[in-house]
Amino acid sequence: MAAKAKATEGVVETIKTVFWALVIAGVFRTLFYQPFWIPSGSMKDTLLIGDFLFVNKMAYGYSAYSCPFSACPISGRLFGSEPERGDVVVFRHPANGADFIKRLIGLPGDTVQVKDGVLWLNGQPVPQEDAGTFEEIKQPQGSQGNMPQCANDPVGQGGTCIKERRIETLPNGVRHDVLNIRNGAADNTPIFTVPEGHYFFMGDNRDNSQDSRFALPNGVGFLPAEYLIGRADRIMFSSAGRSLFYFWTWRSDRFFKAVE
C-alpha cells in the first residue's frame, strides 16, 4: 500500500509540475516575449524564411491580441506606447487572424505613396542608394516550400536568383535594405493618409509583400493600434531547411543577429 501511495503521490507531483510549467510559460509568452518563425519572404533580406526570433511584447503595451487566441480581456491598449517609424513589428491580421511581420512606414497623420518604386512620405521622396544585389538559390524554402521570385527570371531550380537591393533611409534615420524584383502595380499607388490610431506597414521585399498598400481582406490596409503584438528585436536562430532538425542547413551567421 505504501508503494502504491508513493507512486500516486509521484504522479500528482508530476502533474502539478507540468501544470505550473505551462502556467509560467503562458505568462511569459503573454507578458514578455512571443516566439515567431518567419514563414515567407516578404521581409527579405532583413528577415529570411526560417529565421526564429522572440517578439518583444512589452514594447507597445498589451491588447486582447497579446494573449493566445486573442483571449486577453482588454479593450484598446494597456500600458501602450507609440511604435517608432522603421520598427519591424508583429501584428494580428484583422481579416484572417494570422500573425504578420512587416516594417512600420506610416504613422497616424502621415501621407504615404509609392511612385516608380520609390517611397514618398508626407510629400517627400525617401532617399534610396544602390546596394548591389541580393542572391539566393532558386529552390523551395522553409516548411511551406515557397519558391523565391527573381528579377532575372526565368531561372531554373538550383540556379542563382537575383534581386536588386537598395538602402532606404527613413526620415528618423532608420536605414534598411529593400529589394526590387519587377515594375508592378504596387510600384505606383495613390496617396494614402493614415488615420488617427492606425499604422501603415510595408514589407522590405517590396514586390512580394501583401501589406498596407493593399486593402483587406488580402492586404493589411490601415492597421488599428490594438492589433499590434510586439517588436522584433533580434534573430535567435535560423535554419534554411524544411525543419530546424536539419542541422546542416543552420545559418550560424544569423544567430543572435539584431533586426534593423
Side-chain angles (χ1 to χ4, degrees), residues 83-87 89 102-107 199-201:
E84 297 183 9
R85 194 192 314 275
D87 284 357
V89 179
K102 306 287 182 187
R103 189 176 298 275
L104 176 56
I105 296 297
L107 301 173
Y199 299 97
F200 191 99
F201 289 92

Side-chain angles (χ1 to χ4, degrees), residues 149-164:
Q149 300 181 32
C150 316
N152 59 327
D153 269 333
V155 177
Q157 188 163 329
T160 301
C161 179
I162 299 173
K163 300 174 182 62
E164 299 173 12

Side-chain angles (χ1 to χ4, degrees), residues 12 17 24 40 47 79 90 97 99 103 105 114 117 120 165 170-171 175-176 188 191 214 230 233 237 241 260:
V12 171
T17 300
I24 292 169
S40 74
L47 298 172
F79 308 122
V90 172
D99 289 347
R103 189 176 298 275
I105 296 297
V114 181
W120 286 62
R165 176 164 50 195
L170 297 172
R175 289 165 57 85
H176 62 99
N188 289 280
I191 296 174
F214 306 93
D233 291 333
F237 175 84
E260 298 176 347

Side-chain angles (χ1 to χ4, degrees), residues 33-115:
Y33 293 95
Q34 175 178 320
F36 189 83
W37 280 99
I38 302 301
S40 74
S42 69
M43 282 295 293
K44 290 178 181 177
D45 64 345
T46 303
L47 298 172
L48 303 181
I49 294 175
D51 283 348
F52 175 78
L53 47 86
F54 281 104
V55 179
N56 181 355
K57 301 182 80 168
M58 299 174 285
Y60 310 133
Y62 305 96
S63 74
Y65 303 99
S66 299
C67 290
F69 313 110
S70 307
C72 284
I74 300 172
S75 177
R77 296 202 72 80
L78 185 65
F79 308 122
S81 58
E82 289 296 314
E84 297 183 9
R85 194 192 314 275
D87 284 357
V88 177
V89 179
V90 172
F91 56 87
R92 186 66 46 82
H93 192 283
N96 62 31
D99 289 347
F100 273 35
I101 186 165
K102 306 287 182 187
R103 189 176 298 275
L104 176 56
I105 296 297
L107 301 173
D110 282 343
T111 62
V112 183
Q113 187 178 22
V114 181
K115 294 196 289 187

